[in-house]
């Protein structure tokens, strides 16, 4: 190995007792490839096995905790006990390759396709649709329903424990339900679940508390709880960096094992508030300090990209699209073969990359999403 990249392969402890063999993480990426009944497919298992050998930790694609939270065609479920064997199969496949297995849990809220949820009933914090043509107007959740969904996050955590996962990541990013409650764009409530910034925090923090409670009750071994968030929204009103710093402070008090920033570009700069035009990741890292580890992500393709990102002081670096493009990325760096890393998708290599058909179709039909697809 080139000594320049040695820091990427230093071990790291999450929490008190979960040991990661290196600083590299597979980021959660939707793959659209599960069975209609919510079980994982053989193609998904092959896809994860191929990418679990090098990284220290794999965070799965999101799984829905409630039937009306299913956000994607071909998404695997975590909302019923009869899905535990499916979840166990996925956890076992990842762990067998030497990586820690983290299940990302979520509810899609107003972002769900109506045809995927019971009776086409799209719900959110308020009746504000997402921006864009043809977006459904969601129904505001009642207080009883809100409390039920909070319970569902705890139940899905229990299922993750029973399935053998090493932890869960609470998905509070990318415009889904937890973010919808935190956002002044999507949350126009005037009860305990909305209004002021502090009240908009009530739902995400209640979910964190419920997940932690489930871990305390059911986990016999150390079990990781992380939280993913998007630092800003383009809408006005919308989440600003200043809002996110308040969220970070609230999450840092909850004894979480990590915070995961959702960014398309690791070095992207703040839009408004909290030192605009400074990289968001630096603002976040400064605010977090040593209270909780941060995972950084976003357009990291080469070994030089990864080491530069690590030098910001962020202790863990997640690879997303790059691990789809080159499943052996980690091994190539470890073996001193970083010049052999592939950074553009080859349209002829689906089979040798073990990419399931539904994911492959999205990749090649989404110009600009992956390098190499024009």
């Amino acid at each position: 190995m080139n000594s320049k990249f040695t820091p990427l392969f230093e071990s790291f402890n999450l929490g008190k007792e979960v040991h990661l063999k290196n600083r590299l993480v597979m980021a959660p990426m939707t793959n659209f490839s599960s069975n209609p009944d919510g079980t994982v497919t053989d193609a998904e298992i092959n896809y994860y096995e191929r990418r679990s050998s090098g990284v220290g930790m794999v965070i799965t694609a999101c799984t829905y905790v409630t039937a009306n939270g299913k956000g994607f065609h071909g998404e695997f479920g975590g909302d019923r006990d009869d899905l535990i064997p499916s979840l166990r199969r996925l956890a076992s496949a990842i762990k067998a390759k030497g990586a820690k297995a983290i299940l990302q849990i979520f509810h899609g809220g107003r972002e769900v396709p109506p045809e995927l949820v019971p009776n086409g009933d799209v719900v959110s914090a308020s009746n504000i649709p997402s921006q864009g043509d043809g977006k459904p107007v969601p129904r505001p959740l009642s207080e009883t329903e809100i409390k039920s969904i909070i319970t569902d996050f705890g139940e899905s955590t229990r299922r993750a424990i029973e399935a053998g996962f090493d932890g869960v990541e609470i998905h509070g990013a990318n415009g889904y339900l937890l973010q919808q409650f935190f956002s002044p764009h999507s949350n126009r409530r005037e009860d305990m679940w909305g209004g002021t910034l502090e009240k908009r925090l009530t739902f995400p923090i209640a979910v964190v508390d419920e997940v932690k409670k489930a871990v305390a009750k059911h986990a016999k071994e150390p079990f990781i709880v992380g939280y993913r968030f998007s630092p800003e929204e383009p809408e006005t009103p919308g989440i600003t960096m200043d809002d996110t710093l308040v969220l970070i402070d609230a999450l840092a008090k909850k004894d979480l094992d990590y915070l995961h920033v959702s960014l398309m570009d690791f070095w992207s700069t703040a839009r408004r508030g909290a030192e605009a035009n400074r990289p968001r990741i630096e603002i976040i890292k400064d605010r977090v300090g040593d209270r909780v580890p941060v995972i950084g992500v976003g357009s990291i393709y080469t070994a030089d990209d990864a080491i530069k990102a690590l030098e910001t002081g962020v202790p863990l670096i997640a690879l997303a699209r790059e691990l789809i493009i080159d499943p052996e990325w980690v091994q190539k760096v470890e073996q001193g073969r970083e010049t052999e890393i592939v950074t553009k998708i080859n349209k002829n290599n689906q089979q040798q990359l073990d990419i399931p058909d539904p994911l492959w179709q999205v990749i090649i039909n989404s110009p600009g999403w992956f390098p190499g697809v024009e």
Side-chain angles (χ1 to χ4, degrees), residues 90 110 166:
L90 178 55
R110 69 181 185 181
D166 297 296

Side-chain angles (χ1 to χ4, degrees), residues 38 77 107 127 138 183 206 219 247 272 360:
H107 188 296
N127 62 345
S183 169
L247 171 68
R272 54 189 189 265
W360 184 254

Side-chain angles (χ1 to χ4, degrees), residues 200-216:
R200 297 199 311 272
L201 274 170
T202 305
F203 178 71
I205 294 303
V207 169
V208 171
D209 288 343
E210 187 72 15
V211 167
K212 296 282 287 184
K213 188 169 74 173
V215 172

